């Protein structure tokens, strides 16, 4: 008797899934995006210092700030491989340009957001856009 009741419940669940599959998938993806964004924002209190957590992003932050000020990246980065510098044409700088353009776009809606703010929250913004 218990097996028959269980099979009836499974059948009802399958029917409900088949009837509302699209809506349930949209809700599930929405929950994933919201929970993923929330988890990425948990350390936001530590971002108030305005700097990334690790060393590598400092290079991209410096490139982003330089592009924001000068409109393009310097040809030779003298802060790398001193005293000869580094040819930035060999560097992948797409991320830095992307953040600068995202800052220009967001600045249309909010004038008080800084380039550093966009840099720090870019991973979260990209995650939401990508999903």
């Amino acid at each position: 008797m218990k097996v028959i009741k269980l099979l009836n419940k499974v059948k009802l669940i399958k029917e409900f899934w088949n009837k509302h599959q699209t809506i349930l998938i949209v809700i599930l993806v929405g929950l994933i995006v919201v929970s993923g964004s929330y988890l990425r924002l948990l350390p936001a209190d530590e971002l108030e210092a305005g700097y990334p957590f690790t060393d590598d992003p400092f290079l991209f932050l410096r490139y982003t700030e330089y592009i924001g000020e000068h409109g393009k990246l310097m040809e030779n980065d003298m802060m790398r491989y001193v005293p000869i510098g580094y040819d930035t044409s060999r560097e992948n700088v797409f991320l830095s340009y992307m953040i600068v353009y995202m800052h220009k776009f967001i600045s249309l809606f909010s004038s008080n957001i800084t380039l550093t703010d966009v840099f720090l929250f870019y991973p979260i913004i990209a995650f939401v856009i990508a999903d």
Side-chain angles (χ1 to χ4, degrees), residues 77-86:
D77 184 1
M78 294 304 293
M79 292 180 74
R80 294 176 68 187
Y81 305 115
V82 175
I84 59 173
Y86 181 77

Side-chain angles (χ1 to χ4, degrees), residues 21-47:
Q21 185 174 5
T22 304
I23 294 171
L24 292 172
I25 289 174
V26 169
I27 291 171
L28 182 64
V29 170
L31 287 172
I32 290 170
V33 169
V34 168
S35 62
S37 300
Y38 173 75
L39 291 173
R40 292 286 299 200
L41 284 170
L42 282 177
D45 293 337
E46 297 171 22
L47 291 176

Side-chain angles (χ1 to χ4, degrees), residues 111-123:
S111 60
N112 61 350
I113 192 161
T114 66
L115 187 60
T116 306
D117 292 337
V118 175
F119 179 83
L120 292 173
F121 289 103
Y122 173 78

Side-chain angles (χ1 to χ4, degrees), residues 6-21 24:
L6 182 63
L7 290 174
N8 286 337
K9 288 181 182 181
V10 169
K11 183 179 177 184
L12 288 174
I13 291 171
K14 283 183 180 180
E15 288 175 4
F16 182 79
W17 173 259
N18 290 333
K19 187 175 182 180
H20 304 289
Q21 185 174 5
L24 292 172

Side-chain angles (χ1 to χ4, degrees), residues 19 42 45 47-48 54 56 58-59 87 104 106 110 126:
K19 187 175 182 180
L42 282 177
D45 293 337
L47 291 176
E48 289 183 16
T54 60
D56 291 340
F58 279 104
L59 174 68
D87 180 15
K104 288 181 180 184
I106 292 174
S110 175

